[in-house]
Amino acid sequence: MSRAGQPHVALPATLAGLQAAIAAGTLTPGDALARQQAALADDRWHCLTHVFPPASDTPGHLPLAGIGLAHKDIFVIGGRQPHCGTAQAVPIEDPGTPAIARLEAAGATTLATLTMAEFACGATGENPNVERPVNPLDAAAAVGGSSSGSAVAVAAGLCYGALGTDTAGSVRIPAATCGVFGFKPGADVIPTVGTHPLAPTLDTLGLLTRSVDDARILFGVLCPTHPAPMRAVSGPWRLRLALEHPRIGLPAPAITAALRAFAHELNGAPAPEVLLRELPELTRLADIILHTEAASVHAQALRTGAPVLGALTRAITVPGSTLPATWYHHARRDQSHWRERIVQAWLGDCDVLLTPLLPDSVPDWDAVDTRSPTFAPKALLGLFAWTGFVNYLGLPAASLPIGTDAVGRPISVQILARPGHEHLLLAFAAQAERLRHGDAGLVPHPPALAASLSA
Amino acid sequence: MVRQNTLPPASPDRAREIDLADALHGLLVAQGIAVSAQELRGAVRTWQRLAPPVRDMQP
């Protein structure tokens, strides 16, 4: 029972639903927040790294009043320095993170910080400094990274949305493993001030939510002046589908079938299929930048041993310390030419390009944990085969669950759009979500929200 | 912000002329970076994977 003696109204599964309930007066922002904060006490998924004390009341008229968010532990928040998946605070000179300040100015409450791969180095949540995060969908399934806690907290219902960072897939991969929406705007759309860098010219802030509309609401707060699309966004959609990876071939049959059926449904006919011949070269260029810039960020630690870097961080930074500077300069020099050419070739006559997000089913944790006796390198490499080149091109991208495989793990599509077409991408994803999932969102019954009923 | 290292520009031919592992180890030591044998093998694999193709694909 509530303090007023009224039976509790269930907390809606989506941010949009909670906004509507607060607007209708069936929930107050204070009650909604109190129950969200109480739910944080049961972090059986090992995704929280710090819980902030309850905030003072926020004005109820603000659009995000009563909405609890949590963010990857890579941002300066309220004077707290991030830990970046390490045991200590990592100093950042910026006094705050403007993206989080914008969300809070709109009424959102920052509840907690979330676990991550050490210094954002890794395609999973593997990190020797913290407990392994648990996938709320299936405890045996891997949790992608590096924004692992962001995906887990959203899927579990411990927050209504989370910021992550994406340098080579670190928002989209965890979203795909946990069955939530992961949205990475184009390069420089959301300022990275206040964020500990991995590779500064590739780093992008992104959102993880339980519905596309939730991401649209948060993106609207983060980028209120972002240009609207030049054409109507209700479809019919002009799609292209790239299923075959030039290096690893077609995805698993279940994923191939799911993506073809999805594209057919949204396109109104079988979608034209294309081969992205340039993908391996773009991935090579992206990796040169990633390794080189990460080595530069961590140069002092590599030399002095302080702070001690974990094996996965060193696996990126040590090779990056050996790459010839000319490789890096050529990769940076050619970046805008590649973007121009690829946007014309891949997206010149379509609204969005669809690709697999993962080439195979979401793997077991033990297959992608490098410390496991059953570690399978191919499974780990598959996690980021389709993502790194997107950051090199600076394209907006998203990961959207469109079905499940034979064991109930999510199958996700990657959606790519032209630079500046974030709203078009989100409109497409929202329509696709409604077709596939109705209005209940992608996770209709988050376990932590069910528990919050009795809080 | 990106440091300039001293390794000559790469090409597969050049990579064959030298012992790559020795060259990379020397480069790391020169920067004051101590590495294990496993890390050095990883650096060699990464270096080979990222080396430009013989006919550099231009945009």
Side-chain angles (χ1 to χ4, degrees):
Chain A
M1 300 289 278
S2 70
R3 277 172 292 192
Q6 298 296 315
H8 271 315
V9 175
L11 286 177
T14 65
L15 187 159
L18 179 54
Q19 262 191 333
I22 290 172
T26 53
L27 281 166
T28 67
D31 185 35
L33 266 181
R35 284 198 270 159
Q36 293 171 66
Q37 281 158 339
L40 300 175
D42 178 21
D43 177 20
R44 73 194 95 146
W45 304 278
H46 308 149
C47 62
L48 305 178
T49 59
H50 176 78
V51 176
F52 292 102
S56 55
D57 287 344
T58 55
H61 68 277
L62 292 173
L64 298 181
I67 307 293
L69 305 176
H71 306 300
K72 185 175 186 176
D73 196 358
I74 199 168
F75 306 109
V76 179
I77 302 177
R80 178 187 180 274
Q81 298 287 324
H83 286 215
C84 301
T86 72
Q88 287 89 32
V90 179
I92 296 181
E93 290 182 3
D94 301 324
T97 304
I100 292 173
R102 286 182 196 175
L103 296 168
E104 292 178 341
T109 297
T110 303
L111 300 171
T113 57
L114 302 168
T115 196
M116 55 182 282
E118 185 191 89
F119 289 114
C121 291
T124 73
E126 178 183 336
N127 181 338
N129 305 311
V130 298
E131 282 198 85
R132 195 160 83 173
V134 176
N135 192 324
L137 294 180
D138 177 345
V143 174
S146 64
S147 307
S148 48
S150 300
V152 169
V154 169
L158 287 170
C159 59
Y160 276 95
L163 281 172
T165 60
D166 190 315
T167 305
S170 285
V171 162
R172 291 161 284 158
I173 298 165
T177 58
C178 294
V180 299
F181 184 60
F183 170 54
K184 181 205 86 66
D188 302 324
V189 171
I190 303 176
T192 56
V193 175
T195 310
H196 192 276
L198 170 55
T201 69
L202 301 174
D203 292 342
T204 312
L205 267 60
L207 289 161
L208 297 99
T209 56
R210 284 191 294 276
S211 86
V212 178
D213 280 343
D214 294 357
R216 293 170 95 176
I217 291 167
L218 296 175
F219 184 61
V221 170
L222 289 166
C223 302
T225 60
H226 196 65
M230 298 296 288
R231 60 178 288 272
V233 293
S234 57
W237 300 100
R238 299 172 300 166
L239 308 180
R240 278 187 174 190
L241 176 62
L243 277 173
E244 184 175 350
H245 190 291
R247 286 273 162 79
I248 59 178
L250 284 169
I255 292 172
T256 298
L259 263 66
R260 281 196 174 125
F262 171 78
H264 188 156
E265 188 177 4
L266 270 294
N267 198 48
E273 295 191 17
V274 294
L275 176 68
L276 308 183
R277 186 178 57 84
E278 302 90 343
L279 197 155
E281 174 63 3
L282 296 169
T283 300
R284 186 184 75 82
L285 296 168
D287 283 351
I288 288 171
I289 294 175
L290 170 64
H291 283 281
T292 305
E293 293 189 358
S296 183
V297 166
H298 293 285
Q300 186 176 345
L302 286 169
R303 280 197 304 273
T304 65
V308 174
L309 302 178
L312 295 181
T313 307
R314 287 180 64 86
I316 290 176
T317 55
V318 168
S321 305
T322 72
L323 301 182
T326 48
W327 295 5
Y328 175 80
H329 291 306
H330 289 169
R332 293 281 291 140
R333 179 197 65 192
D334 295 340
Q335 203 167 3
S336 59
H337 298 293
W338 273 112
R339 182 183 304 119
E340 201 173 306
R341 171 181 157 183
I342 293 297
V343 165
Q344 183 57 36
W346 295 0
L347 289 154
D349 59 356
C350 66
D351 298 315
V352 293
L353 172 66
L354 307 178
T355 79
L357 197 291
L358 305 176
D360 212 330
S361 294
V362 175
D364 283 345
W365 242 130
D366 288 342
V368 293
D369 188 325
T370 61
R371 302 160 297 184
S372 163
T374 54
F375 170 56
K378 193 177 168 190
L380 180 61
L381 293 172
L383 290 180
F384 53 93
W386 281 97
T387 52
F389 72 94
V390 178
N391 297 65
Y392 182 68
L393 297 173
L395 304 179
S399 169
L400 175 72
I402 57 169
T404 54
D405 64 13
V407 296
R409 294 183 182 175
I411 294 174
S412 295
V413 65
Q414 177 168 240
I415 309 166
L416 307 177
R418 288 165 167 259
H421 284 211
E422 281 79 6
H423 286 296
L424 187 80
L425 185 158
L426 289 169
F428 171 81
Q431 185 179 343
E433 179 192 338
R434 275 190 286 278
L435 273 173
R436 285 299 169 111
H437 302 274
D439 294 326
L442 302 166
V443 188
H445 305 291
L449 288 189
S452 75
L453 280 174
S454 58
Chain B
M1 56 161 276
V2 175
R3 87 278 171 274
Q4 306 279 322
N5 72 37
T6 56
L7 206 65
S11 77
D13 290 342
R14 177 68 181 165
R16 277 195 293 272
E17 288 168 13
I18 59 177
D19 183 321
L20 185 55
D22 282 350
L24 298 188
H25 186 253
L27 185 59
L28 290 163
V29 168
Q31 296 176 75
I33 301 172
V35 294
S36 67
Q38 184 181 357
E39 288 176 328
L40 186 58
R41 286 195 296 275
V44 168
R45 283 195 301 272
T46 301
W47 207 93
Q48 290 170 329
R49 179 171 60 84
L50 299 183
V54 177
R55 287 183 60 199
D56 202 358
M57 187 185 287
Q58 294 296 321

